[in-house]
Amino acid sequence: MTLTCSFTSKAPAKADAFILCTGADLKPDLSVLSKGDSALVKAAMKNAKNFKGENGQVLSVPLSSAAKAGRALVLGLGDLKKLDALKAEAAGGKALPFLKSMGIESASIFGAKLPAKSKISESDVAAHMALGLRLRSYHFDAYKGKDAKAKAAKKPKLKKAVFVGGKFAAASKLYKRLAASADGIELARDLINMPPNDLYPDSYAKLIAKELKPLGVQVEVLDEKKMKTLGMGAALAVGQGSARPSRVVVMRWNGASKTKKGGPIAFVGKGVTFDTGGISIKPAGGMDEMKMDMGGSAAVVGLMKSLATRKAKANVVGIVGLVENMPSSNAYRPGDIITSMAGKTIEVLNTDAEGRLVLADALTYVQKKYKPKMIVDLATLTGAIMVALGFEYCGVFSNDDTLWKNMSAAAEKSGEKIWRMPLDEAFRTEMESSVADLKNLGSLGRWGGACSAAGFLEHFIDKDVKWSHWDIAGTAWWKSDKPTTPKGGTGFGVRSLDQLVEEAYE
Ligand code: BES
Ligand code: MN
Ligand code: ZN
């Protein structure tokens, strides 16, 4: 069950805890408490020398038996002059594990009084704190056994957060908007966390239809026969070693008014449901993580869910190439020369550089069929992007400065870190083969591997199409918890791109 967050100006009902937000000034609003209980909280703050009201810091104070809540939790928001939306989210997210450990199922939350020159309104703080709580409360336990599930069901977890205060009228509205992003993020996380024996191209395609059709998204599944007719020789080559047939799924959300001119915008995702590397097989250590090699596609599916949930006023095409990269007697080989849908031939030098082959055909298809004015693709494309940027930043390539500016602004607002990487003639020519049009491995091998991969993709972008490529290999999956993101699949990309659509295309 997901957490419900609501906002009210009424007096607080009974709850397991009252959460009293405070700045570094340690002056929470205690008006909800009796005199005696206020004194208890003040004394506790004074005695706890480590409690400085830093962002996410929590101080627990048991209240008298007459109080409407068993305890007060003083929650730090940090310096209130510097408080902004993302910091409010972080405070909510950091508080969540604490609430969990204390067995708190219901909480009434009281905002901090903000200074006159505050960067943010009190109601916006409440809405973003609610989002932080919700995003951090995500968990994936569908695959636990019966006993573990029964045990988990009995464990208390935060079910209800009520933000109390007179200034929260706008908070509900903002939270509804933010929750649409959260819906998409949670779907993307679920897809990434699913094991590859259950999430493979065909099952994945069916899941997409099941999730998105009820929201009014048109979902079309191209099977291998259709892919062959279309000439998708690159994507098909990657999937040919697998017993699980490949799929391409096209999702369409037509939310723009009839008078809106120009083509749709498009989002393209790499959906390698498992990447063994194929004949150029990967080492055994950590190979299980390659179930997340469909993270780009998950972001596209999640984005479509967010857009449809909030009825975005834009025409959007989402397309994902779903394949499993396996070694077998039928697998494609290093040395093979394959023909892409664009007609360009590709010499395969490494079967582990498969994502670009899948994307090439998806990019060609979406341009031929829908003539989009803008395309963003997302892919867990290269280990090299992690060499360049670690796990903190997503590498973003773009052939258009305005598009980059819009994406950069949207990402900044969303708290997703992106960093611009270079496209260059040199990276494009590096991918030219002596025996075919292109090769799937650059001449320089590992050096600049994320850039040459982008250079390869650029060969499949039509003239004058605004395009950006997001290499999310380092950001789609996190090994440890962050304030608003539990470890595992992150859903990276959904929020920024939802924001981008809202700000630049509606
Ligand atoms: N899916 C991988 C990239 C990847 C690595 C994603 C680690 C997430 C975590 C991709 O298909 C791949 O194998 N890339 C190769 C390309 C190389 C053979 C040119 C790589 O990065 O080593
Ligand atoms: Mn690979
Ligand atoms: Zn891959």
Side-chain angles (χ1 to χ4, degrees), residues 174-240:
L174 175 58
Y175 182 65
K176 197 170 167 212
R177 166 66 189 88
L178 296 171
S181 285
D183 283 348
I185 293 169
E186 283 163 4
L187 172 59
R189 288 177 181 174
D190 278 344
L191 293 169
I192 297 170
N193 290 333
M194 271 181 79
N197 55 333
D198 274 353
L199 194 84
Y200 47 87
D202 183 56
S203 68
Y204 192 178
K206 291 191 168 109
L207 234 163
I208 294 172
K210 187 174 142 234
E211 280 286 337
L212 297 184
K213 274 189 173 169
L215 297 172
V217 178
Q218 295 167 32
V219 178
E220 185 192 0
V221 180
L222 313 182
D223 62 9
E224 284 199 338
K225 200 169 147 222
K226 188 82 210 278
M227 290 169 71
K228 253 178 220 139
T229 323
L230 288 164
M232 294 182 167
L236 282 166
V238 177
Q240 78 185 35

Side-chain angles (χ1 to χ4, degrees), residues 67-252:
K68 272 192 176 172
R71 60 181 68 244
L73 298 175
V74 189
L75 170 61
L77 301 180
D79 183 351
L80 293 179
K81 285 196 290 290
K82 292 189 184 143
L83 185 63
D84 59 20
L86 295 175
K87 289 193 180 109
E89 282 170 25
K94 288 179 200 162
L96 198 273
F98 194 83
L99 300 179
K100 218 173 172 177
S101 74
M102 305 211 56
I104 288 161
E105 299 198 310
S106 61
S108 294
I109 304 173
F110 304 84
K113 176 122 192 55
L114 298 180
K117 270 194 236 140
S118 174
K119 292 200 235 175
I120 184 169
S121 71
E122 284 172 21
S123 73
D124 284 10
V125 171
H128 283 278
M129 257 181 81
L131 179 69
L133 283 169
R134 171 160 171 195
L135 287 176
R136 184 62 185 273
S137 70
Y138 172 86
H139 51 94
F140 183 75
D141 47 20
Y143 285 84
K144 289 279 190 189
K146 250 195 7 229
D147 292 352
K149 265 191 194 147
K151 217 172 137 194
K154 277 198 210 116
K155 254 197 185 163
K157 52 174 135 337
L158 185 66
K159 291 180 185 144
K160 211 171 124 187
V162 183
F163 289 78
V164 185
K167 295 186 177 161
F168 292 165
S172 262
K173 192 172 166 225
L174 175 58
Y175 182 65
K176 197 170 167 212
R177 166 66 189 88
L178 296 171
S181 285
D183 283 348
I185 293 169
E186 283 163 4
L187 172 59
R189 288 177 181 174
D190 278 344
L191 293 169
I192 297 170
N193 290 333
M194 271 181 79
N197 55 333
D198 274 353
L199 194 84
Y200 47 87
D202 183 56
S203 68
Y204 192 178
K206 291 191 168 109
L207 234 163
I208 294 172
K210 187 174 142 234
E211 280 286 337
L212 297 184
K213 274 189 173 169
L215 297 172
V217 178
Q218 295 167 32
V219 178
E220 185 192 0
V221 180
L222 313 182
D223 62 9
E224 284 199 338
K225 200 169 147 222
K226 188 82 210 278
M227 290 169 71
K228 253 178 220 139
T229 323
L230 288 164
M232 294 182 167
L236 282 166
V238 177
Q240 78 185 35
S242 170
R244 318 253 198 215
S246 305
R247 297 283 184 267
V248 166
V249 180
V250 184
M251 297 152 267
R252 298 190 65 197

Side-chain angles (χ1 to χ4, degrees), residues 270 275 282 290 292-293 350 352-354 356 380-383 386 441 446 473:
K270 168 181 173 181
D275 182 13
K282 289 180 182 294
M290 280 304 119
M292 57 72 108
D293 211 16
N350 188 317
D352 199 10
E354 84 296 340
R356 59 199 74 183
T380 49
L381 203 63
T382 67
M386 292 185 267
L441 191 66
R446 293 193 178 290

